[in-house]
Amino acid sequence: MTSDMIKNTDKYIMETYKRFTPAFIKASGAKLYDENNKEYTDFLAGIAVCNLGHSHPKVNQAIKDQVDKYLHFSNLFYMEPQGELASLLINNSFADRVFFANSGAEANEGAIKLARKYAKDNGTPEKYEIITMVDSFHGRTLATISATGQDKVKVGFEPNMPGFKYVELNNINALIASVTDHTCAVMLEPLQGETGVNICNTKFLKELRAFCDTHDLLLIFDEIQTGIGRTGKMFAYEHYGVEPDIMTLAKGLANGLPLGALLSKEEIAKSFVPGTHGSTFGGNPVSCAAGVATIKTILEEDYLKKCCDLGDYFVEKLNGLKGKYSFVKEIRAKGLMIGMELDFPGADIVKKCFDKGFIINCAKEKTLRFLPPFVIKTDDIDALISTLDEIFAGINS
Ligand code: PLP
């Protein structure tokens, strides 16, 4: 059965991803199963997507209920789950308005367009440049690879879209020095996920917020990976006491269905009027129904606290390994977004963990990244830690 799946995938799908074998055929909570019923414990959650775990009963029920009503009318008509999800997002964030897209990159495209349009609408047509961070990741479309502060995602796709500059994370002086009369916004991830959990510091974000306010620059937070409870707050900006003007979401928003969102203050949102931006599928009712169930469950079942507590437990155990193995350089974490930097590439360790039934990931070559679903158990964490201990001991000897 899975051999056909693997054969068809390898033969017919463009090879933009390397896939692990064997293939999974079902999943529930933090466990995935292959066709021999071998169990794997999930420390990746579909790359920070299935935050409530796989096949969550409330999310699945909401999806089924919506499927039985209707799938799609288009954004020319009202669709109930969109309004419900929008009100949940607005009532739990700094924002006044939301635009729904299908993915993270699309949400960021929207944010880039909105920042440029707002500058034009407010008497500064010369402003279009956006400053982003070195080692950021904002997506794979042409605008978002241009926004991304990593050369490797751009190679072969030149010319890059003009209008982006990159500065070192947490370096306010570098950022201030790079602003020109053309700058309209600064865009960053409060924690960089794809490049190994690099964390913004509070002083930097506070100084940046003040600088943006005094220089009429918009502050855009890409919370595509950090949002929806991943760091132990609904949105990572809440850790800092610093609110953005625009925020983007995707990944965990619908716990596994495709959905992206762009949120902003009312004054900025006014720059999007009929005809300026749109998406046929954006805000699909089934995805939005899943989003409503996801956010309500996170809030009602205290998952933000669970995420913090589990994160603290996990980090303590990882620090134990750091004390034991000198090649572990640093543990970086907020909630259940955790990186363990090694002094050598981690791909081999990821593969060894997989063979032993643990799904982890490696970001920017040397950082093991753990993004478990919030339903992970302390026993699962203990089991991974002893597996890592065993693998690390083999490296040491
Ligand atoms: N922004 C961040 C911070 C991300 O982590 C990602 C994906 O990893 C994206 C944007 C792109 O999202 P998508 O793959 O849904 O387009």
Side-chain angles (χ1 to χ4, degrees):
M1 181 169 66
T2 60
S3 60
D4 275 354
M5 175 200 330
I6 292 168
K7 212 168 65 196
N8 288 336
T9 302
D10 289 349
K11 183 160 180 205
Y12 297 120
I13 295 182
M14 291 192 192
E15 289 187 282
T16 54
Y17 289 93
K18 282 191 197 138
R19 294 172 210 269
F20 283 82
T21 50
F24 304 123
I25 55 166
K26 60 182 182 192
S28 171
K31 304 288 176 179
L32 286 77
Y33 301 88
D34 68 18
E35 70 178 331
N36 298 316
N37 224 23
K38 178 174 170 189
E39 187 178 271
Y40 296 77
T41 307
D42 190 2
F43 284 87
L44 190 58
I47 322 181
V49 169
C50 307
N51 286 352
L52 289 175
H54 300 273
S55 307
H56 190 279
K58 288 188 180 167
V59 178
N60 277 11
Q61 194 56 52
I63 292 170
K64 287 175 192 163
D65 290 347
Q66 184 56 40
V67 165
D68 285 341
K69 286 186 201 155
Y70 56 89
L71 297 184
H72 174 88
F73 294 148
S74 94
N75 285 311
L76 299 176
F77 305 96
Y78 289 93
M79 296 185 280
E80 192 185 4
Q82 285 190 346
E84 206 183 343
L85 180 58
S87 74
L88 267 175
L89 290 171
I90 298 312
N91 289 328
N92 287 287
S93 75
F94 72 96
D96 303 309
R97 293 273 181 178
V98 55
F99 172 87
F100 286 119
N102 304 286
S103 66
E106 272 182 71
N108 282 339
E109 286 270 344
I112 293 162
K113 284 178 70 178
L114 183 60
R116 287 186 171 194
K117 181 75 165 43
Y118 178 74
K120 306 277 176 298
D121 292 350
N122 284 277
T124 50
E126 71 285 1
K127 287 186 170 189
Y128 63 92
E129 231 168 52
I130 298 180
I131 298 172
T132 69
M133 304 298 124
V134 170
D135 278 349
S136 55
F137 183 75
H138 297 297
R140 295 285 191 169
T141 61
L142 279 173
T144 57
I145 60 171
S146 299
T148 293
Q150 299 179 67
D151 290 340
K152 71 170 193 196
V153 304
K154 308 176 198 208
V155 174
F157 302 108
E158 300 84 356
N160 292 317
M161 191 178 138
F164 296 97
K165 274 187 176 172
Y166 319 96
V167 301
E168 193 191 357
L169 186 71
N170 289 329
N171 186 339
I172 193 71
N173 293 329
L175 192 139
I176 291 170
S178 71
V179 170
T180 69
D181 291 345
H182 299 298
T183 311
C184 70
V186 176
M187 173 158 149
L188 54 79
E189 303 148 82
L191 283 81
Q192 295 178 335
E194 293 309 292
T195 49
V197 191
N198 306 313
I199 305 178
C200 278
N201 68 49
T202 304
K203 184 168 178 283
F204 171 69
L205 282 192
K206 282 196 185 292
E207 287 174 354
L208 176 58
R209 176 70 273 179
F211 182 78
C212 287
D213 287 343
T214 49
H215 291 77
D216 285 332
L217 302 174
L218 295 180
L219 183 55
I220 305 171
F221 283 174
D222 175 341
E223 292 235 23
I224 284 159
Q225 190 159 151
T226 53
I228 318 298
R230 173 54 52 191
T231 68
K233 301 267 188 201
M234 186 56 82
F235 307 110
Y237 74 78
E238 297 170 56
H239 289 286
Y240 296 95
V242 172
E243 290 184 352
D245 301 301
I246 296 176
M247 173 172 73
T248 52
L249 301 171
K251 286 194 179 279
L253 183 53
N255 208 56
L257 288 189
L259 186 62
L262 152 63
L263 288 81
S264 82
K265 295 281 206 191
E266 179 74 32
E267 194 209 337
I268 301 160
K270 279 188 190 139
S271 283
F272 272 176
V273 295
T276 47
H277 196 50
S279 166
T280 298
F281 286 121
N284 172 267
V286 184
S287 296
C288 285
V292 169
T294 301
I295 292 185
K296 280 189 175 166
T297 305
I298 289 175
L299 293 173
E300 287 164 9
E301 298 185 16
D302 217 10
Y303 271 109
L304 298 177
K305 172 151 187 353
K306 287 178 192 164
C307 186
C308 290
D309 293 347
L310 285 161
D312 288 348
Y313 183 85
F314 200 165
V315 166
E316 195 189 314
K317 300 276 167 179
L318 289 170
N319 272 320
L321 292 178
K322 178 170 176 274
K324 201 165 162 186
Y325 298 102
S326 59
F327 54 76
V328 177
K329 288 177 68 185
E330 196 177 29
I331 315 292
R332 297 183 288 270
K334 272 196 200 296
L336 284 173
M337 182 160 178
I338 303 171
M340 178 190 236
E341 191 178 331
L342 308 174
D343 68 7
F344 57 84
D348 232 37
I349 290 172
V350 172
K351 173 75 174 69
K352 285 188 171 124
C353 282
F354 186 83
D355 292 342
K356 290 173 186 287
F358 295 93
I359 302 166
I360 68 166
N361 169 253
C362 185
K364 207 170 181 217
E365 227 192 1
K366 292 182 181 170
T367 301
L368 300 180
R369 183 173 50 160
F370 309 100
L371 301 163
F374 310 162
V375 294
I376 200 84
K377 303 267 188 296
T378 50
D379 283 355
D380 296 323
I381 295 171
D382 292 346
L384 174 68
I385 294 292
S386 50
T387 298
L388 284 172
D389 197 359
E390 213 178 285
I391 296 170
F392 286 177
I395 293 164
N396 244 8
S397 55

